[in-house]
Amino acid sequence: NRTWLAFSFQQDRKEAELRLTLALESMEVAKPEPPKKKLTTFLTLLTLVTCMGSVVWGYNLWLVNDPVTRKQYFHNLTTQIVEKSRDTPMHPALFVFTVAAYLLGCLLGSLLFGPLGDKYGRKAALMVNDVFTIVSSVTLAVSKSFNAHGFYALARFLTGVSSGILSCAIPIYLGEISPTNLRGGITIVYIFFVSLGVMVCQVLGGREFLGNPKGFPFLQSIPGIISLLQLFLLLPFPESPRYLLIQKEDEQGARQALQKLRGQDDVENEMEELREEDQYEKEEKGMTILKLLFSPRQRWQVVCVVTLIATQQCSGVNAVRMISQALEDSASGQILMLTYYYGDKVFLAMMVNESTARYLSASGTFLLLFGQILSIYTIDSWGRRSLLLIGFGICIVSCILLTMSLELQDTIPWTTYVSSFLMFIFLTGFVLGPNSIPHLMIVELFLQSSRASAIAIGSFVQWFLILCLFLLYFLLEKPIGPYSFLICLPFTVAGFYYALKAAPETKKKTILDIRKLLEAFLARKYLNEKPKATKKPEQR
């Protein structure tokens, strides 16, 4: 990438100088500081209604991977196939196939959002996904009646498609409706509701509530009920004003949407900002996923996003999957899910029964919500880079200490409590920055016409790495054990270094200002590089 950029600037140095001059001149123009926007009641309600999809996302993440709910279905199936006792664990081939079906659905859903979000809009994509979620929930609810593994795998695949679309639609919609000074906190609030959905499913999935044969169909249908409610609640709310003006050229609709969101009639400052962005991105109209991957002007942004997501997924938070002794009783879903399963193992090592361990794990999820609240309230004041550095730093130290405590857990009993404490410290550091900021960076680094394709690429990379790590950990979990943290440690260090050296700070900046700063940075960087001297061929 570096060689290609250097070659590009060498071929057209005048163009690079012109971009640098224009960017610097536009930033030097004295602009009055816009007044800080307040969180209006209308915007708060829209955020909460949108985050109902996050609750569904988190609920499904735990539901399709929860050992208790999975056993409710696979007990009859494995008994018919293998003709073994009730306590026989699920067949490994069925387990791998079912989890892979869910993750493949997530991959497809993330790719579908690109054209869906650009053609029909962000709000419309959420509403279409609500219908899709209702269908997948009904399929899951009735799958037990068929006693066919293929039908159950299909239900999981459909649930995965829904999760893939939600992982793109929610952050991009929240980012586009929020004002500049509140954009960070409003955009990442969906992570809080994802964890809330996980906690709700952890509690309701207990055998005392719905985690039993009678309550199993209703447990599976709850996401469909929430989606049906969200479908009707979204109707009176507006589409993204950025989408209306820049991609649909509906200036009147964009003005009315902004007036509702800001709670005031005077929104000309933001309208002017949207017009400037519309003029600035003329070259990016009609951007698709393939065009974005090969676009020279946006290659640095794509590399930045992919790097942050890769270091996020390959950090030690996924290593907990490898040290779980009950791999066949868990499944890969979302990055925090893996640690919850390991949390059950730690609690069981404390001589706690399985049912109590489940609720202790739910209590751990509840404690993580406070870390996410801290991230929401500080991201617009401390900045994105600061939280990334703090989060990766905590993960690095916790990786090393967790390796030692887990190794000693079998010989020194009291280290079990140390492992439990370090586990929550590790997750707290993870949710502070690496968990949510990469998707926020996608919203801020890309202009309107390329944003949907960019977040589709980022989400695809995320789910693809989860799938690869799941298959890899399935094979390497037992021989590696707790030393998997040391394998993931270099990736966590790489994330810290990249955030320190290359990740831009975007707090309290408009989307257009961020793009101009990036172009000025890249132009200055490569114009100052001297081309390597090439040796002339010797004359004979």
Side-chain angles (χ1 to χ4, degrees):
N1 187 42
R2 184 182 180 88
T3 304
W4 184 92
L5 284 171
F7 176 78
S8 176
F9 280 113
Q10 289 171 5
Q11 292 297 311
D12 200 349
R13 193 177 183 85
K14 291 183 178 180
E15 181 182 353
E17 291 175 348
L18 178 61
R19 289 188 182 279
L20 176 61
T21 302
L22 293 176
L24 292 177
E25 287 178 355
S26 63
M27 288 186 292
E28 289 175 356
V29 174
K31 294 182 179 180
E33 185 176 352
K36 292 184 179 180
K37 303 294 190 303
K38 296 182 179 180
L39 186 61
T40 62
T41 303
F42 188 87
L43 180 57
T44 303
L45 291 175
L46 178 53
T47 302
L48 293 176
V49 172
T50 304
C51 288
M52 291 175 66
S54 298
V55 176
V56 172
W57 178 10
Y59 190 96
N60 279 330
L61 285 171
W62 186 265
L63 180 65
V64 298
N65 299 289
D66 184 17
V68 174
T69 56
R70 190 174 63 250
K71 286 178 181 178
Q72 292 296 331
Y73 172 79
F74 278 101
H75 165 63
N76 292 333
L77 182 62
T78 53
T79 301
Q80 294 174 9
I81 295 176
V82 189
E83 295 183 356
K84 294 185 178 180
S85 65
R86 182 180 179 87
D87 296 328
T88 300
M90 181 175 58
H91 196 279
L94 298 179
F95 164 70
V96 174
F97 178 74
T98 306
V99 174
Y102 171 74
L103 295 175
L104 289 174
C106 294
L107 290 174
L108 177 61
S110 60
L111 292 179
L112 285 176
F113 176 77
L116 185 65
D118 281 335
K119 185 174 183 179
Y120 299 105
R122 284 57 165 138
K123 172 192 166 184
L126 282 172
M127 299 181 71
V128 170
N129 187 73
D130 284 334
V131 178
F132 200 86
T133 304
I134 294 171
V135 174
S136 65
S137 296
V138 173
T139 308
L140 273 175
V142 302
S143 60
K144 188 179 178 181
S145 303
F146 288 87
N147 283 332
H149 176 65
F151 191 83
Y152 188 65
L154 174 63
R156 286 199 174 206
F157 178 79
L158 296 176
T159 304
V161 174
S162 173
S163 297
I165 295 176
L166 287 173
S167 66
C168 299
I170 295 175
I172 196 173
Y173 185 50
L174 293 176
E176 291 183 2
I177 64 175
S178 57
T180 301
N181 61 305
L182 300 175
R183 186 174 58 231
I186 292 178
T187 303
I188 69 171
V189 74
Y190 78 96
I191 293 293
F192 173 87
F193 287 93
V194 170
S195 298
L196 185 63
V198 169
M199 188 180 68
V200 170
C201 191
Q202 283 178 321
V203 175
L204 294 181
R207 298 184 186 277
E208 300 82 358
F209 295 98
L210 300 176
N212 52 68
K214 292 183 179 180
F216 184 71
F218 184 72
L219 183 70
Q220 302 271 28
S221 61
I222 288 179
I225 297 173
I226 299 176
S227 297
L228 181 63
L229 180 62
Q230 185 192 38
L231 180 63
F232 287 102
L233 290 178
L234 276 175
L235 290 175
F237 290 103
E239 179 58 81
S240 163
R242 290 181 174 274
Y243 174 81
L244 291 174
L245 192 145
I246 298 176
Q247 293 185 265
K248 290 300 182 181
E249 299 180 354
D250 184 5
E251 185 167 336
Q252 185 61 27
R255 179 179 286 104
Q256 292 176 356
L258 278 175
Q259 289 172 346
K260 291 180 180 179
L261 291 170
R262 304 297 177 256
Q264 59 185 27
D265 294 332
D266 185 11
V267 292
E268 287 305 314
N269 288 335
E270 286 193 72
M271 289 294 295
E272 184 61 29
E273 174 194 335
L274 297 182
R275 295 189 195 100
E276 291 179 5
E277 182 178 339
D278 184 29
Q279 294 296 321
Y280 195 85
E281 67 152 26
K282 287 296 184 182
E283 299 179 7
E284 301 178 16
K285 298 293 185 182
M287 185 67 67
T288 62
I289 294 176
L290 289 178
K291 289 181 180 179
L292 180 61
L293 288 174
F294 295 99
S295 173
R297 292 189 63 184
Q298 305 196 68
R299 188 160 299 176
W300 186 90
Q301 292 95 308
V302 173
V303 171
C304 177
V305 168
V306 171
T307 302
L308 288 176
I309 291 180
T311 53
Q312 172 206 71
Q313 294 298 321
C314 297
S315 66
V317 73
N318 274 305
V320 295
R321 175 115 177 103
M322 301 174 65
I323 54 179
S324 174
Q325 294 178 350
L327 183 65
E328 294 182 359
D329 290 333
S330 61
S332 176
Q334 198 260 357
I335 201 161
L336 295 179
M337 299 283 294
L338 308 173
T339 305
Y340 295 144
Y341 289 120
Y342 175 65
D344 288 344
K345 180 206 169 190
V346 172
F347 293 134
L348 290 173
M350 296 178 182
M351 306 304 293
V352 175
N353 61 51
E354 183 179 355
S355 178
T356 305
R358 181 184 185 89
Y359 294 113
L360 285 174
S361 182
S363 301
T365 309
F366 178 76
L367 293 176
L368 289 178
L369 296 178
F370 290 97
Q372 291 163 349
I373 291 174
L374 177 62
S375 176
I376 292 170
Y377 275 96
T378 57
I379 191 169
D380 287 311
S381 55
W382 292 6
R384 285 62 162 153
R385 289 181 70 250
S386 299
L387 290 181
L388 276 175
L389 293 173
I390 293 172
F392 276 123
I394 293 175
C395 290
I396 291 171
V397 176
S398 300
C399 273
I400 299 173
L401 297 179
L402 265 173
T403 302
M404 296 187 291
S405 65
L406 291 170
E407 181 65 21
L408 298 173
Q409 185 168 295
D410 294 332
T411 57
I412 305 176
W414 59 266
T415 55
T416 302
Y417 299 93
V418 177
S419 299
S420 178
F421 175 75
L422 291 174
M423 180 187 64
F424 290 120
I425 293 296
F426 182 92
L427 277 178
T428 301
F430 182 77
V431 300
L432 277 177
N435 189 35
S436 56
I437 290 181
H439 281 84
L440 172 62
M441 298 287 280
I442 295 176
V443 175
E444 296 182 327
L445 294 181
F446 292 90
L447 298 180
Q448 182 65 32
S449 296
S450 57
R451 189 173 293 123
S453 298
I455 204 166
I457 293 172
S459 184
F460 180 87
V461 172
Q462 177 183 2
W463 292 112
F464 178 76
L465 288 174
I466 291 177
L467 175 62
C468 293
L469 290 171
F470 161 70
L471 297 175
L472 181 64
Y473 290 173
F474 185 82
L475 299 174
L476 300 180
E477 177 266 336
K478 289 184 178 179
I480 294 179
Y483 294 100
S484 56
F485 279 108
L486 296 183
I487 296 177
C488 295
L489 183 61
F491 296 98
T492 310
V493 174
F496 181 88
Y497 182 80
Y498 189 84
L500 180 65
K501 295 294 184 180
E505 181 53 73
T506 57
K507 68 172 183 178
K508 298 181 180 179
K509 294 182 177 68
T510 65
I511 303 297
L512 189 56
D513 287 341
I514 293 171
R515 170 57 68 87
K516 291 178 180 179
L517 286 171
L518 287 176
E519 291 196 348
F521 165 75
L522 292 174
R524 186 187 294 110
K525 177 180 179 181
Y526 291 105
L527 284 174
N528 291 336
E529 286 186 353
K530 296 181 180 180
K532 294 183 178 179
T534 56
K535 294 183 179 180
K536 296 182 179 180
E538 297 181 358
Q539 296 181 355
R540 296 183 179 180

